[in-house]
Amino acid sequence: MIDLHLHLDGSLSLEDFKFLSEYNHVELGDDFPKNVYVPEGCTSLEEYLTRFDLPCSLLQNEFSLAYATKSLVNRLYEAGYVYAEIRFAPQLHTLKGMSQEDAVISALSGLKSALKDKENFDANLILCCMRQADYETNRETVKLAVKYKNDKVCCVDLAGPEAFHTGDFYKELFDEAKEGGANIIIHAGEACGSEEVIRAIDLLHAKRIGHGVHLDLTRENVRKVTENRIAFEFCPTSNLQTTSLPNYETVPLSDFLKNGILVTINSDNMTVSNTDVLKEYRHLFKVFKFAKYEVRHLLMNSLDAAFISPELRSKLAVEVDKKLDSFYQKVIEY
Ligand SMILES: [Zn+2]
């Protein structure tokens, strides 16, 4: 119903793959569609990330990027979502001549075109810096997040292999983002431990943490995240696939909720992880046996954590309540 952690390149539909492969004259490979999903027996985040090479190769021009963004927004709307924040790294789309700004403008045009005929639904873009990129490339991404912050770009993120550099390496970069008034999310505490989550908050000004499941819930850490209303974007299936967590039973949902932490449920990658928000709630329901009010609490957490105006938040909360019964039924019937 609401997805705050959703990567565009990891969420192309099979139809998108087919259409864009013809349009771009790129072969999908003999093992398509198997090769678009997480590798069998995947053992690490690094291995998981290899699944982004093919979709990225299809998104190297303005038309393709706009097309893919529009397709994703349309699919979310048709599936009954009320809000989504779609993220991508503009710097990964510059292999065939687009600048990072061309990439942002293209994705924005796809987003806006899809939103034109939709009511009681909204979506924004998040621009990702990459841990393995050089400083100037990431700086360009930060500048674009600042430039387009009032034009449907709601945030700047740091993604990529978490073990590449620790958070302190990016301090200057995110100082600049903060000074420019951009909201900040950091992928942290997924492949690495609690200290990366704390660095993201203390050094990189993160308002939300992508994953963060490895945060140690010490009294001091709980105080820090609750006082600063830091939101956590859990993506359970993705965490199992990258072996960040061994099974759904170990998703620290109850502990985070018990401590009053703003935790949200998201998909990460609809295609690579073969999931969506409904499936994530279903997987977790099997373990946590949510009551309806608990599902509502989690959905309202997502609205609380969303980078939207108070007016839009109130309006979307009404939509969540309208759809709650049928969503809950779909979660528990599975
Ligand atoms: Zn992610």
Side-chain angles (χ1 to χ4, degrees), residues 136-213:
E136 277 311 314
T137 304
N138 279 334
R139 188 157 181 245
E140 176 69 20
T141 309
V142 165
K143 281 186 170 174
L144 289 167
V146 171
K147 180 170 177 184
Y148 290 91
K149 70 179 177 188
N150 296 319
D151 188 20
K152 306 298 284 172
V153 170
C154 65
C155 184
V156 64
D157 175 28
L158 178 63
E162 197 183 340
F164 202 83
H165 287 301
T166 52
D168 40 329
F169 186 81
Y170 308 95
K171 173 149 178 36
E172 212 178 310
L173 187 68
F174 285 92
D175 281 348
E176 193 170 329
K178 190 188 176 200
E179 279 157 27
N183 294 309
I184 295 166
I185 298 176
I186 306 290
H187 276 70
E190 177 188 15
C192 291
S194 189
E195 64 287 350
E196 267 306 287
V197 179
I198 297 305
R199 281 192 195 105
I201 298 165
D202 287 347
L203 299 178
L204 307 183
H205 322 292
K207 290 186 181 172
R208 291 193 342 221
I209 300 293
H211 305 287
V213 288

Coordinates of all heavy atoms in Angstrom, one line a residue, residues 136-213:
E136 N 33.3 13.3 -6.9 CA 32.7 14.3 -7.7 C 31.4 13.8 -8.4 O 30.4 14.5 -8.6 CB 33.7 14.7 -8.8 CG 34.6 15.8 -8.4 CD 33.9 17.0 -7.7 OE1 32.9 17.5 -8.2 OE2 34.4 17.4 -6.6
T137 N 31.4 12.5 -8.7 CA 30.2 11.9 -9.3 C 29.0 11.9 -8.2 O 27.9 12.3 -8.6 CB 30.5 10.4 -9.7 OG1 31.6 10.4 -10.6 CG2 29.3 9.8 -10.3
N138 N 29.3 11.5 -7.0 CA 28.3 11.6 -6.0 C 27.9 13.1 -5.7 O 26.7 13.3 -5.4 CB 28.8 10.9 -4.7 CG 28.7 9.4 -4.7 OD1 27.8 8.9 -5.4 ND2 29.5 8.7 -4.0
R139 N 28.9 14.0 -5.8 CA 28.6 15.4 -5.5 C 27.6 15.9 -6.5 O 26.7 16.7 -6.2 CB 29.9 16.2 -5.6 CG 29.7 17.6 -5.1 CD 31.0 18.2 -4.7 NE 30.8 19.5 -4.2 CZ 31.3 20.6 -4.8 NH1 32.1 20.5 -5.9 NH2 31.0 21.8 -4.4
E140 N 27.7 15.5 -7.7 CA 26.8 15.8 -8.8 C 25.3 15.4 -8.4 O 24.3 16.1 -8.6 CB 27.2 15.2 -10.1 CG 26.3 15.5 -11.3 CD 26.3 16.9 -11.8 OE1 27.2 17.6 -11.5 OE2 25.3 17.3 -12.4
T141 N 25.2 14.1 -7.9 CA 23.9 13.6 -7.5 C 23.3 14.4 -6.4 O 22.2 14.8 -6.4 CB 24.1 12.1 -7.0 OG1 24.8 11.4 -8.0 CG2 22.7 11.5 -6.8
V142 N 24.2 14.8 -5.4 CA 23.7 15.6 -4.3 C 23.2 17.0 -4.8 O 22.1 17.4 -4.4 CB 24.8 15.8 -3.2 CG1 24.5 16.9 -2.3 CG2 25.1 14.5 -2.5
K143 N 24.0 17.6 -5.7 CA 23.5 18.9 -6.2 C 22.2 18.8 -6.9 O 21.4 19.7 -6.8 CB 24.6 19.4 -7.3 CG 25.8 20.0 -6.6 CD 26.7 20.6 -7.7 CE 27.8 21.4 -7.0 NZ 28.8 21.9 -8.0
L144 N 22.0 17.7 -7.6 CA 20.7 17.5 -8.3 C 19.5 17.3 -7.3 O 18.4 17.8 -7.5 CB 20.8 16.3 -9.3 CG 21.6 16.6 -10.5 CD1 21.9 15.3 -11.3 CD2 21.0 17.6 -11.5
A145 N 19.8 16.6 -6.3 CA 18.8 16.4 -5.2 C 18.4 17.7 -4.6 O 17.2 18.0 -4.3 CB 19.3 15.4 -4.2
V146 N 19.4 18.6 -4.5 CA 19.1 19.9 -3.9 C 18.4 20.8 -5.0 O 17.3 21.4 -4.7 CB 20.4 20.7 -3.5 CG1 20.2 22.1 -3.2 CG2 21.1 19.9 -2.3
K147 N 18.8 20.7 -6.2 CA 18.2 21.5 -7.3 C 16.7 21.2 -7.5 O 15.9 22.0 -7.7 CB 19.0 21.3 -8.6 CG 18.4 22.1 -9.8 CD 19.4 22.1 -10.9 CE 18.8 22.8 -12.1 NZ 19.6 22.8 -13.3
Y148 N 16.4 19.9 -7.4 CA 15.0 19.4 -7.7 C 14.2 19.1 -6.5 O 13.2 18.4 -6.5 CB 15.1 18.2 -8.7 CG 15.6 18.6 -10.1 CD1 16.9 18.5 -10.4 CD2 14.6 19.0 -11.0 CE1 17.3 18.9 -11.7 CE2 15.1 19.4 -12.3 CZ 16.4 19.4 -12.6 OH 16.8 19.8 -13.8
K149 N 14.7 19.6 -5.3 CA 14.0 19.2 -4.1 C 12.6 19.7 -4.0 O 11.8 19.1 -3.2 CB 14.8 19.7 -2.8 CG 14.8 21.2 -2.6 CD 15.6 21.6 -1.4 CE 15.6 23.1 -1.3 NZ 16.4 23.6 -0.3
N150 N 12.2 20.7 -4.7 CA 10.8 21.2 -4.7 C 10.1 20.7 -5.9 O 9.0 21.2 -6.2 CB 10.8 22.7 -4.5 CG 11.3 23.1 -3.2 OD1 11.1 22.5 -2.2 ND2 12.1 24.2 -3.2
D151 N 10.7 19.7 -6.6 CA 10.0 19.3 -7.9 C 10.0 17.8 -8.0 O 10.5 17.2 -8.9 CB 10.9 19.9 -9.1 CG 10.2 19.7 -10.4 OD1 9.0 19.4 -10.4 OD2 10.9 19.7 -11.4
K152 N 9.4 17.2 -6.9 CA 9.2 15.7 -6.9 C 10.5 14.9 -6.6 O 10.4 13.7 -6.8 CB 8.5 15.2 -8.2 CG 7.2 15.9 -8.5 CD 6.1 15.7 -7.5 CE 5.4 14.4 -7.5 NZ 4.5 14.3 -6.3
V153 N 11.6 15.5 -6.3 CA 12.7 14.7 -5.8 C 12.7 15.0 -4.3 O 13.0 16.1 -3.8 CB 14.0 15.2 -6.4 CG1 15.2 14.5 -5.7 CG2 14.1 14.8 -7.9
C154 N 12.4 14.0 -3.5 CA 12.2 14.2 -2.1 C 13.4 13.9 -1.2 O 13.3 14.2 0.0 CB 11.0 13.4 -1.6 SG 11.2 11.6 -1.6
C155 N 14.5 13.4 -1.7 CA 15.5 12.9 -0.8 C 16.8 12.5 -1.6 O 16.7 12.2 -2.8 CB 14.9 11.7 -0.1 SG 16.0 11.0 1.1
V156 N 17.9 12.5 -0.9 CA 19.1 11.9 -1.5 C 19.5 10.7 -0.6 O 19.4 10.8 0.6 CB 20.3 12.9 -1.7 CG1 20.7 13.5 -0.4 CG2 21.4 12.3 -2.5
D157 N 20.0 9.6 -1.2 CA 20.3 8.4 -0.5 C 21.8 8.0 -0.8 O 22.4 8.5 -1.7 CB 19.3 7.3 -1.1 CG 19.5 5.9 -0.6 OD1 20.0 5.7 0.6 OD2 19.2 5.0 -1.3
L158 N 22.3 7.1 0.0 CA 23.6 6.4 -0.3 C 23.4 4.9 -0.3 O 22.9 4.3 0.6 CB 24.6 6.8 0.8 CG 26.0 6.1 0.7 CD1 26.7 6.6 -0.6 CD2 26.8 6.4 1.9
A159 N 23.6 4.3 -1.5 CA 23.4 2.9 -1.7 C 24.7 2.3 -2.2 O 25.7 2.9 -2.2 CB 22.3 2.7 -2.8
G160 N 24.6 1.0 -2.5 CA 25.8 0.2 -3.0 C 26.4 -0.6 -1.9 O 25.9 -0.7 -0.8
P161 N 27.5 -1.3 -2.2 CA 28.1 -2.3 -1.3 C 28.5 -1.6 0.0 O 29.4 -0.8 0.0 CB 29.3 -2.9 -2.0 CG 29.2 -2.4 -3.4 CD 28.2 -1.2 -3.5
E162 N 27.8 -2.0 1.1 CA 28.0 -1.2 2.4 C 29.4 -1.3 3.0 O 29.8 -0.4 3.6 CB 26.9 -1.7 3.4 CG 26.7 -0.8 4.5 CD 25.8 -1.4 5.6 OE1 25.0 -2.3 5.2 OE2 25.8 -0.9 6.7
A163 N 30.1 -2.4 2.7 CA 31.4 -2.6 3.2 C 32.5 -1.8 2.5 O 33.6 -1.8 2.9 CB 31.7 -4.1 3.3
F164 N 32.1 -1.1 1.4 CA 33.1 -0.5 0.6 C 33.9 0.6 1.3 O 35.1 0.6 1.3 CB 32.4 0.1 -0.7 CG 33.3 0.3 -1.8 CD1 33.6 -0.7 -2.7 CD2 33.8 1.6 -2.0 CE1 34.4 -0.5 -3.8 CE2 34.7 1.8 -3.1 CZ 35.0 0.8 -4.0
H165 N 33.2 1.6 1.9 CA 33.8 2.6 2.7 C 32.8 2.8 3.9 O 31.6 2.7 3.7 CB 33.9 3.9 2.1 CG 34.9 4.0 1.0 ND1 36.3 3.8 1.3 CD2 34.8 4.3 -0.3 CE1 36.9 3.9 0.1 NE2 36.1 4.3 -0.8
T166 N 33.3 3.1 5.1 CA 32.5 3.3 6.2 C 31.9 4.8 6.1 O 32.4 5.6 5.3 CB 33.2 3.2 7.5 OG1 34.4 4.0 7.5 CG2 33.5 1.7 7.8
G167 N 30.9 5.1 6.9 CA 30.2 6.3 6.7 C 31.0 7.6 6.7 O 30.8 8.5 6.0
D168 N 32.1 7.6 7.6 CA 32.9 8.8 7.7 C 33.4 9.3 6.4 O 33.7 10.5 6.2 CB 34.0 8.6 8.8 CG 34.6 7.3 8.7 OD1 33.9 6.3 8.3 OD2 35.8 7.2 9.0
F169 N 33.6 8.4 5.5 CA 34.2 8.7 4.2 C 33.3 9.7 3.4 O 33.8 10.4 2.6 CB 34.4 7.4 3.4 CG 35.0 7.6 2.0 CD1 36.4 7.6 2.0 CD2 34.3 7.7 0.9 CE1 37.1 7.8 0.8 CE2 35.0 7.8 -0.3 CZ 36.3 7.9 -0.4
Y170 N 32.0 9.7 3.7 CA 31.0 10.5 2.9 C 30.6 11.7 3.7 O 29.6 12.4 3.3 CB 29.8 9.6 2.6 CG 30.2 8.3 1.9 CD1 30.4 7.1 2.6 CD2 30.5 8.3 0.5 CE1 30.8 6.0 2.0 CE2 30.9 7.1 -0.1 CZ 31.0 5.9 0.7 OH 31.4 4.8 0.1
K171 N 31.2 12.1 4.8 CA 30.8 13.1 5.6 C 30.6 14.5 4.9 O 29.5 15.1 4.9 CB 31.7 13.3 6.8 CG 31.3 14.5 7.7 CD 31.6 14.4 9.1 CE 31.2 15.6 9.9 NZ 30.0 16.4 9.5
E172 N 31.6 14.9 4.2 CA 31.6 16.1 3.5 C 30.4 16.2 2.4 O 29.8 17.2 2.3 CB 32.9 16.3 2.7 CG 33.4 17.7 2.6 CD 34.8 17.7 1.9 OE1 35.7 17.0 2.3 OE2 34.9 18.5 0.9
L173 N 30.3 15.1 1.8 CA 29.2 14.9 0.8 C 27.8 15.2 1.4 O 27.0 16.0 0.8 CB 29.3 13.5 0.2 CG 28.4 13.2 -1.0 CD1 28.8 13.9 -2.2 CD2 28.4 11.7 -1.2
F174 N 27.6 14.6 2.5 CA 26.2 14.7 3.1 C 26.1 16.0 3.9 O 25.0 16.5 4.2 CB 25.8 13.5 3.8 CG 25.4 12.4 2.9 CD1 26.4 11.5 2.4 CD2 24.2 12.3 2.3 CE1 26.1 10.5 1.4 CE2 23.8 11.4 1.4 CZ 24.8 10.5 0.9
D175 N 27.2 16.6 4.3 CA 27.2 18.0 4.9 C 26.6 18.9 3.8 O 25.8 19.7 4.1 CB 28.6 18.4 5.3 CG 29.1 17.9 6.6 OD1 28.2 17.3 7.3 OD2 30.3 18.0 6.9
E176 N 27.1 18.7 2.6 CA 26.7 19.6 1.5 C 25.1 19.3 1.2 O 24.4 20.3 1.0 CB 27.5 19.2 0.2 CG 27.3 20.3 -0.8 CD 28.3 20.1 -2.0 OE1 29.4 19.6 -1.8 OE2 27.9 20.5 -3.1
A177 N 24.7 18.1 1.3 CA 23.3 17.8 1.1 C 22.5 18.5 2.1 O 21.4 19.1 1.8 CB 23.1 16.3 1.1
K178 N 22.9 18.4 3.4 CA 22.1 19.0 4.5 C 22.1 20.5 4.3 O 21.0 21.1 4.5 CB 22.8 18.6 5.8 CG 21.9 19.0 7.0 CD 22.5 18.8 8.3 CE 21.6 19.3 9.4 NZ 22.3 19.6 10.6
E179 N 23.2 21.1 4.0 CA 23.3 22.5 3.8 C 22.3 23.0 2.7 O 21.7 24.1 2.7 CB 24.7 23.0 3.5 CG 25.6 23.2 4.8 CD 27.0 23.1 4.5 OE1 27.5 23.4 3.3 OE2 27.8 22.7 5.4
G180 N 22.2 22.1 1.7 CA 21.3 22.5 0.5 C 19.9 22.2 0.8 O 19.0 22.5 0.0
G181 N 19.6 21.6 2.0 CA 18.2 21.4 2.4 C 17.6 20.1 1.9 O 16.3 19.9 1.9
A182 N 18.4 19.2 1.4 CA 17.9 17.9 1.0 C 17.7 16.9 2.2 O 18.4 17.0 3.1 CB 18.9 17.2 0.0
N183 N 16.6 16.2 2.1 CA 16.4 15.1 3.1 C 17.4 14.0 2.8 O 17.8 13.8 1.6 CB 15.0 14.5 3.0 CG 13.9 15.5 3.4 OD1 14.1 16.1 4.4 ND2 12.9 15.7 2.5
I184 N 17.8 13.2 3.8 CA 18.9 12.2 3.6 C 18.5 10.9 4.1 O 17.9 10.8 5.3 CB 20.2 12.7 4.3 CG1 20.7 14.0 3.6 CG2 21.2 11.6 4.3 CD1 21.8 14.7 4.4
I185 N 18.7 9.9 3.3 CA 18.5 8.5 3.7 C 19.9 7.8 3.5 O 20.6 8.1 2.5 CB 17.5 7.7 2.8 CG1 16.1 8.3 3.0 CG2 17.5 6.2 3.2 CD1 15.1 7.7 2.0
I186 N 20.3 6.9 4.4 CA 21.5 6.1 4.2 C 21.2 4.6 4.3 O 20.5 4.2 5.2 CB 22.6 6.5 5.2 CG1 22.9 8.0 5.3 CG2 23.9 5.7 5.0 CD1 23.6 8.6 4.1
H187 N 21.6 3.8 3.3 CA 21.5 2.4 3.4 C 22.6 2.0 4.4 O 23.8 2.2 4.2 CB 21.9 1.7 2.1 CG 20.8 1.5 1.1 ND1 20.3 2.6 0.4 CD2 20.2 0.4 0.6 CE1 19.4 2.1 -0.4 NE2 19.3 0.8 -0.3
A188 N 22.2 1.5 5.6 CA 23.2 1.1 6.6 C 22.6 0.0 7.5 O 21.4 -0.1 7.6 CB 23.5 2.3 7.5
G189 N 23.5 -0.7 8.1 CA 23.1 -1.8 9.0 C 22.3 -2.9 8.3 O 21.4 -3.5 8.8
E190 N 22.8 -3.1 7.0 CA 22.2 -4.2 6.2 C 23.3 -5.3 6.1 O 23.2 -6.3 6.8 CB 21.9 -3.7 4.8 CG 21.4 -4.8 3.9 CD 21.2 -4.3 2.4 OE1 21.7 -3.2 2.1 OE2 20.6 -5.0 1.6
A191 N 24.4 -5.0 5.4 CA 25.5 -5.9 5.3 C 26.4 -5.7 6.5 O 27.2 -6.6 6.9 CB 26.2 -5.8 4.0
C192 N 26.4 -4.5 7.0 CA 27.3 -4.1 8.1 C 26.5 -4.0 9.4 O 25.3 -4.1 9.4 CB 28.1 -2.9 7.8 SG 29.3 -3.1 6.5
G193 N 27.2 -3.6 10.5 CA 26.6 -3.7 11.8 C 26.1 -2.3 12.3 O 26.0 -1.4 11.6
S194 N 25.8 -2.4 13.6 CA 25.1 -1.2 14.3 C 25.9 0.1 14.1 O 25.3 1.2 14.0 CB 25.0 -1.6 15.8 OG 24.2 -0.7 16.4
E195 N 27.2 0.0 14.1 CA 28.1 1.2 14.1 C 27.8 2.0 12.8 O 27.9 3.2 12.8 CB 29.6 0.9 14.3 CG 30.3 0.0 13.3 CD 29.9 -1.4 13.3 OE1 29.2 -1.9 14.2 OE2 30.2 -2.1 12.3
E196 N 27.5 1.3 11.7 CA 27.3 2.0 10.5 C 26.0 2.8 10.5 O 25.8 3.9 9.9 CB 27.2 1.1 9.3 CG 28.5 0.9 8.6 CD 29.2 2.2 8.1 OE1 28.7 2.9 7.2 OE2 30.2 2.6 8.8
V197 N 25.0 2.3 11.2 CA 23.7 3.0 11.4 C 24.0 4.3 12.2 O 23.5 5.4 11.9 CB 22.7 2.1 12.1 CG1 21.4 2.9 12.4 CG2 22.4 0.8 11.4
I198 N 24.8 4.1 13.3 CA 25.0 5.3 14.1 C 25.9 6.4 13.4 O 25.6 7.6 13.5 CB 25.8 4.8 15.4 CG1 24.8 3.9 16.2 CG2 26.2 6.0 16.3 CD1 23.5 4.5 16.6
R199 N 26.8 5.9 12.5 CA 27.6 6.9 11.7 C 26.6 7.6 10.8 O 26.7 8.8 10.5 CB 28.6 6.1 10.9 CG 29.9 5.8 11.6 CD 31.0 5.3 10.7 NE 32.0 4.7 11.5 CZ 32.2 3.3 11.5 NH1 31.4 2.6 10.8 NH2 33.1 2.8 12.3
A200 N 25.7 6.9 10.2 CA 24.7 7.5 9.2 C 23.9 8.6 9.9 O 23.7 9.6 9.3 CB 23.8 6.4 8.7
I201 N 23.6 8.4 11.2 CA 22.8 9.4 11.9 C 23.7 10.5 12.4 O 23.4 11.7 12.1 CB 22.1 8.7 13.1 CG1 21.1 7.6 12.6 CG2 21.3 9.8 13.9 CD1 20.6 6.7 13.7
D202 N 24.8 10.1 13.0 CA 25.6 11.2 13.7 C 26.4 12.0 12.6 O 26.6 13.2 12.8 CB 26.6 10.5 14.6 CG 25.9 10.0 15.9 OD1 24.8 10.4 16.1 OD2 26.6 9.3 16.7
L203 N 27.0 11.3 11.6 CA 27.9 12.0 10.7 C 27.2 12.4 9.4 O 27.6 13.4 8.8 CB 29.1 11.1 10.3 CG 30.0 10.6 11.5 CD1 31.0 9.7 11.0 CD2 30.6 11.8 12.1
L204 N 26.2 11.6 9.0 CA 25.7 11.9 7.6 C 24.3 12.5 7.6 O 23.6 12.6 6.6 CB 25.7 10.5 6.8 CG 27.0 9.8 6.7 CD1 26.9 8.6 5.8 CD2 28.1 10.7 6.2
H205 N 23.8 12.8 8.8 CA 22.5 13.5 9.0 C 21.3 12.7 8.4 O 20.3 13.3 7.9 CB 22.5 14.9 8.3 CG 23.8 15.6 8.4 ND1 24.3 16.1 9.6 CD2 24.8 15.8 7.5 CE1 25.5 16.6 9.4 NE2 25.8 16.5 8.2
A206 N 21.3 11.4 8.5 CA 20.2 10.6 8.0 C 19.0 10.8 8.8 O 19.0 10.8 10.0 CB 20.6 9.1 8.0
K207 N 17.9 11.0 8.0 CA 16.5 11.0 8.7 C 15.9 9.7 8.6 O 15.0 9.4 9.4 CB 15.6 12.0 8.0 CG 16.1 13.5 8.2 CD 15.1 14.4 7.6 CE 15.5 15.9 7.7 NZ 14.6 16.8 7.0
R208 N 16.3 8.9 7.6 CA 15.8 7.5 7.5 C 17.0 6.6 7.2 O 17.9 7.0 6.6 CB 14.8 7.4 6.4 CG 13.5 8.1 6.7 CD 12.3 7.8 5.8 NE 12.5 7.2 4.6 CZ 11.8 7.6 3.5 NH1 10.8 8.5 3.5 NH2 11.9 7.0 2.3
I209 N 16.8 5.4 7.7 CA 17.9 4.4 7.4 C 17.3 3.3 6.5 O 16.3 2.7 6.8 CB 18.3 3.7 8.8 CG1 18.9 4.8 9.7 CG2 19.3 2.6 8.5 CD1 20.2 5.4 9.3
G210 N 18.0 3.0 5.4 CA 17.6 1.9 4.6 C 18.1 0.6 5.3 O 19.2 0.4 5.5
H211 N 17.1 -0.2 5.6 CA 17.3 -1.5 6.4 C 17.6 -1.2 7.9 O 16.6 -1.1 8.6 CB 18.5 -2.3 5.8 CG 18.3 -2.6 4.3 ND1 17.3 -3.5 3.9 CD2 18.8 -2.1 3.2 CE1 17.3 -3.5 2.5 NE2 18.2 -2.7 2.1
G212 N 18.9 -1.2 8.3 CA 19.1 -0.9 9.7 C 18.8 -2.0 10.7 O 18.8 -1.8 11.9
V213 N 18.6 -3.2 10.1 CA 18.1 -4.3 11.0 C 19.2 -4.7 12.0 O 18.9 -5.4 13.0 CB 17.7 -5.5 10.2 CG1 16.4 -5.3 9.5 CG2 18.8 -5.9 9.2

